[in-house]
């Protein structure tokens, strides 16, 4: 599959839950996990150009935070390859509005994510074709 | 009779020599000294008359060889003879003709057969006398004609019955603008003003007598004239006529009318004017009070005349007024200070009076006092004074800076707050717009300048602005400026009154609250993340347990994580509780 799934979150428990749910909902059996945003960015840049990325992104992280990561992506020419799902414990409307300003943000989810959240992800028009059953 | 030194000079036009000799002899009988000349025919006679015109008399024979028509002869000789008397000599046969010549101007006719020395002498003498009288008459007529024509006053002669002009003089022509020909086709009625019949009536009553009248005439150009006309009946060329002498009294009438108007005006001023005019004698008794006092003071002049002025003046003002009256004799006019005066209803009114000393004027014989009721003015002044005092008190009492800016003179005034709040000494600063503007914070200046321009140009009455204003020590204070635009009666901006409040403390306080709010918002946001992170984990783990109970191998790990997250949550909540308590 040409869609790579990345989980960027510094919280191990959150990563554990999300990995489990990705697998259970057949989004990805082996999502790539990054505790920091920077290495994730390096990884993306190293990948081939035909790859697309589903990124579950936390906002509050040490080092580069979620917003800074988004800004980096925003500077790239091939933005359509990035499908970002914001996953945050914040319940503030301000953050939600801020996120919607970025063109590659597809969804804004509050922690914890659930099976319901996963279904929403699979229904996102830009990426739904990756999950169609043959 | 002839005077001694006057020499008789006779021309005899006679073809018959014998007759001539006879005449010569007759004359010698009567006159000792005379000159006689003879013309044998008309041609010679004519020449002599033309060359020497000064004959005393011409004796003319009617039957001359070179004359066919005696009538023509007589008339030509009369013309040439000028001042000489012409006596015709004729025979019996021509007696009737001789008589006829008298009507042409011949002085006498003599029948040749009847002539004697004395008849001839007498005829010559009478003829000469008649000629002289006629000449005098002619001259006198001429003189009178000159008097008429050259009179500086307009004159005319009218037919007494038809009123047609028979003659007019130059002065009339000049005054009325009609020429002689026009006048002679008019009647005097054409001069009269339409609709007035004083001319017609006077004329009808006095058709054949002398009379004079004042009447309005109109000139050819339509100008109205007042005329005084004197007219007398005369006989003119055999007609019943009257001669009229007119004088233009338009100016006089105008002057009289103006005098009348002026008197009316004066009367109106004294009687109905807004000033009370009175005459006061030396003991301050009213000798005259103008009727206008009824309107001004509700009083009757007759109730005041004879009474003392101080019966009416307020006792508190009496001494002051008396002091001024002492000087009334020294100067022509004295202006008294305003004083209270009891009106007809017993109420006090404020008056202002000018006294003129006219004691020397026999028509007045006292002081003329010109008084005006200024009660309303005094009351207004009082209101104004109180209002000003109030303004002054407010300006002193307020902690605001009060600014009064005159747009025309560029003059600024402040109350004491300029030194008390802002530290400026009014002695050291230039009180004008430029100085003021230099004290506005540069970052605020553009905005404030635009505001004040809008205020003046759009005539906005009221304007609230906030800005920073420099103090004497260079620090800035935040101020709330409430400016009010004053306009004149036509709405043109005149002054700006500004109340400027120091809101630095309030501004700082609000700023502190705003800063604190911002900090609290940040804390709340952080806290929500910190608190929600472990909670979200617990919720996620529980969800995992419930939905995947069958295929979870590491259930212990999940439960451990729930415990760790719960403990973390507990710690966070305690921490918040501790912070809030402090």
């Amino acid at each position: 599959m040409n869609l790579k799934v990345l989980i960027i979150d510094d919280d191990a428990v959150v990563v554990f839950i999300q990995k489990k749910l990705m697998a259970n909902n057949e989004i990805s059996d082996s999502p790539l996990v990054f505790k920091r945003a920077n290495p994730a960015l390096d990884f993306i840049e190293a990948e081939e150009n035909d790859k697309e990325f589903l990124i579950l992104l936390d906002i509050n992280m040490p080092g580069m935070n979620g917003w800074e990561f988004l800004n980096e992506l925003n500077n790239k020419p091939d933005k359509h390859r990035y499908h970002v799902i914001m996953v945050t414990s914040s319940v503030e409307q301000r953050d939600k509005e801020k996120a919607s300003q970025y063109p590659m943000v597809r969804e804004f989810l509050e922690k914890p994510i659930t099976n319901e959240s996963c279904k929403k992800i699979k229904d996102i028009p830009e990426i739904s074709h990756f999950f169609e059953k043959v | 009779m002839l005077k001694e030194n006057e020499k008789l000079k006779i021309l005899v036009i006679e073809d018959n020599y014998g007759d001539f000799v006879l005449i010569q002899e007759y004359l010698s009988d009567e006159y000792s000294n005379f000159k006689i000349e003879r013309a044998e025919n008309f041609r010679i006679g004519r020449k002599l008359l033309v060359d020497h015109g000064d004959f005393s008399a011409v004796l003319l024979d009617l039957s001359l060889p070179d004359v066919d028509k005696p009538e023509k002869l007589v008339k030509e000789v009369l013309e040439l003879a000028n001042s000489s008397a012409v006596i015709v000599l004729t025979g019996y046969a021509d007696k009737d003709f001789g008589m006829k010549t008298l009507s042409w101007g011949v002085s006498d006719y003599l029948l040749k057969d009847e002539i004697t020395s004395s008849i001839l002498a007498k005829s010559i003498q009478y003829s000469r006398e008649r000629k002289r009288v006629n000449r005098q008459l002619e001259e006198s007529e001429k003189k009178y004609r000159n008097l008429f024509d050259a009179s500086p006053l307009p004159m005319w002669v009218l037919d007494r019955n038809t009123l047609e002009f028979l003659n007019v003089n130059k002065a009339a022509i000049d005054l009325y603008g009609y020429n002689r020909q026009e006048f002679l086709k008019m009647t005097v009625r054409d001069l009269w003003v339409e609709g007035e019949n004083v001319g017609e009536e006077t004329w009808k009553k006095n058709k054949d007598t002398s009379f004079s009248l004042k009447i309005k005439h109109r000139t050819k150009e339509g100008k109205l004239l007042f005329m005084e006309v004197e007219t007398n009946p005369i006989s003119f060329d055999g007609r019943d006529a009257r001669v009229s002498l007119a004088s233009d009294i338009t100016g006089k009438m105008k002057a009289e009318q103006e005098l009348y108007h002026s008197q009316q005006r004066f009367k109106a001023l004294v009687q109905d004017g807004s000033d009370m005019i009175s005459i006061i004698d030396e003991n301050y008794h009213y000798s005259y009070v103008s009727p206008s006092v009824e309107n001004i003071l509700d009083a009757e002049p007759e109730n005041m005349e004879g009474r003392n002025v101080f019966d009416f003046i307020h006792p508190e003002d009496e001494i002051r007024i008396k002091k001024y009256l002492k000087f009334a004799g020294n100067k022509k006019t004295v202006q008294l200070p305003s004083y209270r005066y009891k009106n007809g209803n017993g109420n006090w009114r404020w008056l202002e009076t000018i006294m003129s000393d006219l004691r020397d004027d026999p028509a007045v014989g006292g002081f003329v006092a010109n008084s005006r009721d200024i009660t309303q003015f005094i009351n207004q002044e009082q209101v104004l004074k109180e209002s000003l005092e109030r303004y002054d008190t407010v300006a002193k009492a307020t902690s605001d800076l009060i600014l009064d800016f005159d747009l025309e003179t560029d003059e600024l005034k402040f109350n004491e707050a300029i030194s008390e709040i802002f530290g400026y000494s009014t002695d050291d600063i230039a009180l004008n717009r430029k100085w003021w503007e230099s004290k506005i914070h540069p970052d605020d200046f553009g905005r404030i300048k635009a505001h004040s321009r809008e205020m003046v140009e759009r005539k906005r009455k009221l304007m609230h602005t906030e800005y920073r204003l420099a103090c004497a020590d260079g620090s800035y204070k935040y101020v709330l400026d409430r400016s009010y635009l004053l306009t004149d009666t036509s709405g043109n901006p005149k002054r700006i009154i500004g109340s400027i409040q120091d809101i630095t403390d309030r501004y700082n306080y609000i700023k502190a609250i705003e800063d604190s709010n911002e900090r609290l918002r940040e804390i709340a946001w952080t806290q929500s993340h910190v608190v929600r992170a472990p909670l979200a984990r617990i919720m996620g783990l529980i969800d995992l347990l419930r939905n995947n109970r069958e295929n979870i191998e590491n259930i212990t790990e999940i439960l451990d994580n729930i415990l760790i997250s719960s403990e973390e949550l507990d710690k966070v909540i305690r921490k918040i509780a501790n912070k809030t308590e402090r």
Side-chain angles (χ1 to χ4, degrees), chain A residues 11 13-14 16-17 20-21 24 59-60 88-92 94-95 110-115, chain B residues 521 524-525 528-529 532-533 536-537 539-541 543-544 547-548 551-554 557-558 561:
Chain A
D11 190 326
V13 178
V14 171
F16 170 76
I17 296 166
K20 209 79 191 161
L21 282 172
N24 288 352
I59 294 174
N60 224 11
T88 173
S89 50
S90 157
V91 286
E92 290 224 8
R94 274 199 300 183
D95 288 343
E110 275 176 22
K111 285 177 184 174
I113 65 165
T114 57
N115 286 334
Chain B
R521 244 196 311 277
W525 186 83
S528 83
H529 274 265
R532 229 184 153 268
R537 258 180 279 159
M539 286 162 75
L541 290 165
D543 185 65
L544 210 59
N547 291 323
N548 305 288
N551 58 356
I552 292 179
E553 54 276 21
N554 42 4
E557 194 186 349
I558 293 175
N561 275 328

Side-chain angles (χ1 to χ4, degrees), chain B residues 553-578:
Chain B
E553 54 276 21
N554 42 4
I555 194 154
T556 325
E557 194 186 349
I558 293 175
L559 288 173
D560 284 349
N561 275 328
I562 291 176
L563 189 64
I564 291 164
S565 295
S566 302
E567 281 167 358
E568 200 181 315
L569 181 59
D570 183 49
K571 222 189 280 169
V572 169
I573 290 170
R574 279 174 200 284
K575 213 166 157 187
I576 292 170
N578 282 346

